[in-house]
């Protein structure tokens, strides 16, 4: 990011605080729409609203289009009805739905009623699909063609829809029943004689079922690197189109979610610096409470072995190290498998295969670390202590890796977000079982 | 994924094992290229190589194009030179470079020498840029135009390059010195009269400097949702073009890396089920060793307080719970800030602002958890123990959150991957300091 953006943001903040609105306009005018967007993302909410309202009308639309849905919703909430209605009408139907999902129900209803009948109809087409599905993220505005039309006829269809079609670069090829027979690209059309039949040019279509969850749909498009995919119903009839840029945005939001939950938080819905402290607290408190409740299990386990600790206090010294390694092992396995599930490299029915691989991986790592632990603990304390540490590491790593690898799959089978499910459960289970393993081995080896 | 893909993969595995090559061909023939790709991703290396070589020549190219660079490299290593040379020649220049980066140097040199002079020239244009930069990921094959050309003249340029240009849907508009003046879309061209000057149609270009790291470049394109961006040198002269589909692939690889490192592992370079056990072990062992070394610090800290534990053994019961909460707090903060850094929502110069926000967040959470801990520990043990637990949680959460939030920024400033740097350091620092805080508070409150 150019240094002048950061400086600019500061100067705008000060100008707004000083009520110097002319200065604010002077600062935003020379910026490109992309730069204005970055500036708005870094401002606190009230300043952002003021700055947005001071933009020239033509630039305001472009900038609005580039903002996250959450920020759009925030800005809209503070605006006059007439201004909002126009902005709303100008949005593409799929962007409109993103925005509606961020608004309180009353505001959303008002906005929908303010639409022209044509735009209302188009928007309702999308709203008919369940939230979180491909149907909700598609655009119903696309150009299609037929295998028996010619290139020339297809180009006419395209030029008629240039203003409103979501994309004109990839066209679904439909039969008389609107079923998808294939797709044809603009590039293919431009390279063929005008009387060529589409049926000879088209290639196999990669489609997306309208009921498929938005993340799988988006990843399918992004992984294949296709510009767009027809969205189809259960009879393979086309209902809309999902483009690569929307897929990339959906994947980014899904990554935000996965990354956040893997780290034990809820995702932020707006850029970090514009998130108020109480929102940061809210995204973390739930996980911490779940973890704290689970961790009381470790207190109870240690209570069972309290007399053992009294007898051989040196055992307490290794507790953080052992549960640290165990927790990390479980985390590593869960991270790898969760990512593989997200990319469709692993399916729930692979659970036994995953368990076996993680068990072997954990065993190998446990033996390596256990050998190291035996030597070092043996050197600094005693051979018996070294033996306890070594054996514990072997057992602990094997358990941690196999449990950690399997948790995300169980979560997916229960239709719960694997990242949500895994983290606290793995910590709790691995910590508690790790302590049990440790002290049982200690009692056996040391004859307590 | 359709059940028949999974069944198909099993049947192909068995057919290869039984040397029934006719059966393998019979199984792959009815699959679409996309389905063949999924099957190949799930097979072990030798089976994959055999299956690929049995594909029909025309399908082999398409499938090869869809595979991850790592899998392409694997397949190529086992093939005869003549077959490889042809596959290599047919790849787009930017895909060729991806593949070269995965190969051992000797094989890469051989492959380059096997190229036709024209393709060699084009490939060298990309290889001139440092690995990991936008220049390495761009395509030098694009169509450009000039502000004083007409729509008709531009369309002629496009049709001449339909076969080899990376994209024809977004054209850089260059002045006489090849400097980028703007971009024009195919859609705009189709909608304007043939004699319109490009200068009237073009809009502002979002460009990417060739020296920019590939992840920032890719995110810029993906976040803006543009189909392509001209790649420029320091004088704003165009050197290539980066398209949205390549940007999406780069972002996915970057996510693989970030996700893996956040979980304490190195990323896998191929799908999970095709990764051998020793590779899984290799991606995790480094982190575990770093963690283990850091964790010996906790052993030493506890050794200092060993007499305190002997006096009041009940203190040992809470150690896993406290460091679990502390570690999680640090992790949450680091996760959030690392993600914000990746999305350019936070810059290194924001470090004080981030520190302040995380300190306040940690303090608030510490007070909430500390109150809960005080009440519960006080109920089950004693008021004094409850006080120790409560105060420790307040102090620990504040320290953990602020340190956790700042570590990624320090990493970024040191030009180290924030996810790599943060995880082990945070665990070690937070665990060790958490124990010190705990026992110091215990000694003070309990008068030991």
């Amino acid at each position: 990011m150019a240094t002048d953006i950061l400086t600019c943001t500061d100067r705008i903040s000060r100008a707004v605080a000083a009520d110097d609105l002319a200065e604010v306009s002077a600062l935003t005018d020379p910026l490109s729409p992309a730069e204005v967007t970055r500036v708005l993302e870094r401002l606190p909410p009230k300043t952002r609203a003021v700055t947005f309202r001071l933009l020239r009308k033509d630039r305001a639309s472009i900038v609005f289009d580039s903002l996250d849905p959450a920020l759009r919703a925030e800005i809209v909430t503070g605006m006059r009805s007439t201004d909002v209605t126009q902005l709303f009408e100008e949005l593409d139907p799929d962007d409109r739905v993103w925005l509606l999902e961020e608004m309180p129900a009353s505001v959303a209803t008002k906005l929908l009623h303010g639409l022209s009948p044509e735009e209302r109809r188009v928007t309702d087409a999308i709203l008919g699909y369940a939230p979180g599905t491909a149907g909700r993220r598609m655009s119903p505005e696309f150009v299609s063609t037929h295998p028996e039309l010619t290139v020339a006829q297809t180009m006419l269809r395209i030029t008629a829809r240039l203003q409103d079609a979501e994309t004109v670069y990839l066209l679904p090829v439909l039969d008389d029943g609107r079923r998808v027979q294939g797709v044809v690209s603009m590039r293919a059309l431009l390279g063929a004689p005008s009387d060529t039949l589409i049926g000879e040019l088209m290639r196999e279509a990669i489609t997306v079922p309208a009921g498929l969850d938005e993340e799988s749909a988006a990843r399918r498009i992004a992984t294949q690197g296709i510009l767009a995919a027809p969205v189809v119903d259960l009879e393979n009839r086309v209902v809309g189109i999902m483009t690569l840029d929307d897929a990339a945005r959906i994947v980014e939001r899904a990554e935000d979610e996965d990354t956040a939950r893997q780290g034990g938080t809820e995702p932020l819905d707006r850029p970090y610096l514009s998130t108020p402290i109480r929102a940061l607290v809210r995204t973390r408190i739930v996980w911490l409470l779940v973890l704290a409740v689970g961790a009381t299990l470790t207190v109870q386990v240690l209570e069972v072995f309290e007399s053992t600790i009294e007898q051989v206090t040196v055992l307490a010294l290794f507790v953080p190290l052992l549960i640290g390694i165990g927790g990390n092992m479980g985390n590593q396995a869960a991270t790898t498998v969760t990512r593989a599930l997200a990319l469709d490299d692993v399916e729930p029915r692979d659970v036994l295969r995953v368990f076996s691989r993680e068990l072997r991986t954990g065993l190998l790592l446990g033996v390596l670390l256990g050998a190291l632990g035996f030597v070092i603990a043996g050197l600094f304390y005693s051979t018996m202590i070294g033996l306890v540490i070594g054996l514990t590491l072997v057992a602990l790593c094997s358990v941690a890796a196999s449990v950690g690898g399997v948790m995300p799959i169980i979560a997916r089978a229960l239709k719960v977000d694997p990242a949500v499910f895994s983290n606290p459960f793995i910590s709790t289970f691995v910590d508690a079982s790790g302590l049990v393993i440790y002290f049982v081995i200690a009692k056996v080896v040391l004859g307590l």
Side-chain angles (χ1 to χ4, degrees), chain A:
Chain A
M1 197 187 297
T3 325
D4 24 52
I5 300 283
L6 306 179
T7 329
C8 215
T9 315
D10 293 337
R11 293 171 68 188
I12 289 176
S13 284
R14 281 197 293 270
V16 169
D19 250 344
D20 191 352
L21 306 184
E23 172 72 1
V24 175
S25 294
L27 286 166
T28 55
D29 266 356
L31 301 177
S32 71
E35 291 170 329
V36 174
T37 307
R38 303 301 284 176
V39 165
L40 288 176
E41 283 172 349
R42 294 176 62 90
L43 293 171
K46 286 199 170 59
T47 317
R48 174 169 39 241
V50 171
T51 311
F52 180 81
R53 255 175 264 154
L54 288 169
L55 293 174
R56 287 195 326 264
K57 267 242 171 304
D58 57 314
R59 285 154 61 85
S61 303
I62 303 174
V63 166
F64 193 75
D65 234 20
S66 318
L67 287 169
D68 276 342
L71 292 185
R72 287 183 195 166
E74 192 201 273
I75 286 177
V76 156
T77 322
M79 288 173 69
R80 271 194 318 258
S81 304
T82 41
D83 296 332
V84 174
T85 313
Q86 183 173 0
L87 258 178
F88 197 60
E89 180 91 13
E90 280 167 14
L91 282 177
D92 289 338
D94 51 333
D95 288 332
R96 209 177 280 148
V97 172
W98 278 86
L99 179 54
L100 283 171
E101 290 182 347
E102 300 283 338
M103 319 232 64
S106 53
V107 184
T109 320
K110 239 178 51 175
L111 286 172
L112 274 172
H113 283 312
L115 284 174
S116 63
E118 178 56 31
E119 291 299 327
R120 177 67 191 268
R121 190 189 62 77
V122 161
T123 311
D124 281 345
I126 306 178
L127 287 172
Y129 293 92
T133 61
R136 266 292 173 106
R137 296 287 169 238
M138 72 184 183
S139 171
E141 301 189 315
F142 58 93
V143 185
S144 64
T145 181
H146 189 283
E148 283 159 43
L149 289 182
T150 63
V151 166
Q153 289 168 314
T154 307
M155 290 303 291
L156 280 176
R157 283 191 173 195
I158 290 174
T159 38
R161 303 284 307 279
L162 274 179
Q163 293 309 318
D164 62 334
E166 184 73 7
T167 179
V168 295
Y169 303 136
L170 196 89
L171 276 60
V173 180
L174 313 175
D175 64 13
D176 297 323
R178 289 184 73 71
R179 279 178 298 265
V180 175
Q181 298 299 310
V183 288
V184 66
S185 69
M186 168 73 72
R187 194 194 288 241
L189 292 174
L190 289 174
S194 344
D195 55 356
T196 318
L197 290 181
I198 295 301
E200 295 160 41
L201 281 183
M202 72 186 190
R203 61 170 198 265
E204 184 175 356
I206 293 170
T207 62
V208 155
L212 185 63
D213 70 281
E214 60 179 25
E215 187 182 342
S216 304
R219 286 195 190 276
R220 187 180 295 186
I221 293 171
T223 318
Q224 297 291 332
I226 50 182
L227 280 179
V231 180
V232 296
D233 65 11
L234 295 166
E235 272 98 54
N236 203 32
R237 288 179 306 220
V238 71
V239 289
I241 199 159
M242 190 188 272
T243 50
L244 180 57
D245 56 307
D246 285 332
R249 172 176 282 181
I250 292 168
V251 169
E252 181 180 309
R253 283 233 308 196
E255 299 288 351
D256 279 345
E257 230 177 54
D258 290 346
T259 309
R261 290 189 175 149
Q262 203 184 301
T265 73
E266 281 300 303
L268 304 179
D269 66 353
R270 65 199 64 192
Y272 177 79
L273 291 173
S274 26
T275 311
I277 301 290
R278 64 181 181 284
L280 285 179
V281 169
R282 250 197 323 257
T283 60
R284 300 181 194 181
I285 188 70
V286 179
W287 294 127
L288 285 171
L289 285 173
V290 172
L291 184 76
V293 166
T296 55
L297 188 60
T298 62
V299 178
Q300 287 162 5
V301 167
L302 282 171
E303 214 177 342
V304 169
F305 294 104
E306 195 173 349
S307 52
T308 315
I309 300 174
E310 275 175 347
Q311 286 177 281
V312 188
T313 319
V314 76
L315 287 174
L317 270 49
F318 294 93
V319 163
L321 180 141
L322 290 170
I323 65 177
I325 288 177
N328 220 280
M329 277 252 36
N331 221 16
Q332 287 174 336
T335 300
T336 309
V337 174
T338 301
R339 182 70 183 171
L341 277 170
L343 298 178
D344 270 337
D345 291 337
V346 159
E347 298 269 307
R349 57 162 256 175
D350 292 317
V351 63
L352 285 178
R353 211 169 148 189
V354 169
F355 181 82
S356 150
R357 309 183 100 234
E358 289 302 328
L359 184 61
R360 281 180 283 160
T361 308
L363 196 57
L364 248 154
L365 286 161
V367 164
L368 285 166
L369 289 169
L372 193 67
F374 170 66
V375 166
I376 296 182
L379 274 173
F380 285 92
Y381 294 90
S382 78
T383 317
M384 295 309 261
I385 295 289
L387 193 60
V388 173
I389 301 301
L391 289 172
T392 303
L393 281 169
V394 173
L396 178 57
C397 289
S398 312
V399 169
S402 30
V403 169
V406 155
M407 279 292 190
I409 297 186
I410 294 175
R412 170 65 72 91
L414 293 175
K415 303 227 189 292
V416 177
D417 188 331
V420 162
F421 191 77
S422 313
N423 220 325
F425 276 86
I426 289 173
S427 309
T428 308
F429 183 88
V430 168
D431 287 358
S433 55
L435 290 169
V436 170
I437 291 171
Y438 180 44
F439 284 106
V440 164
I441 289 179
K443 287 177 89 117
V444 167
V445 170
L446 301 175
L448 301 167

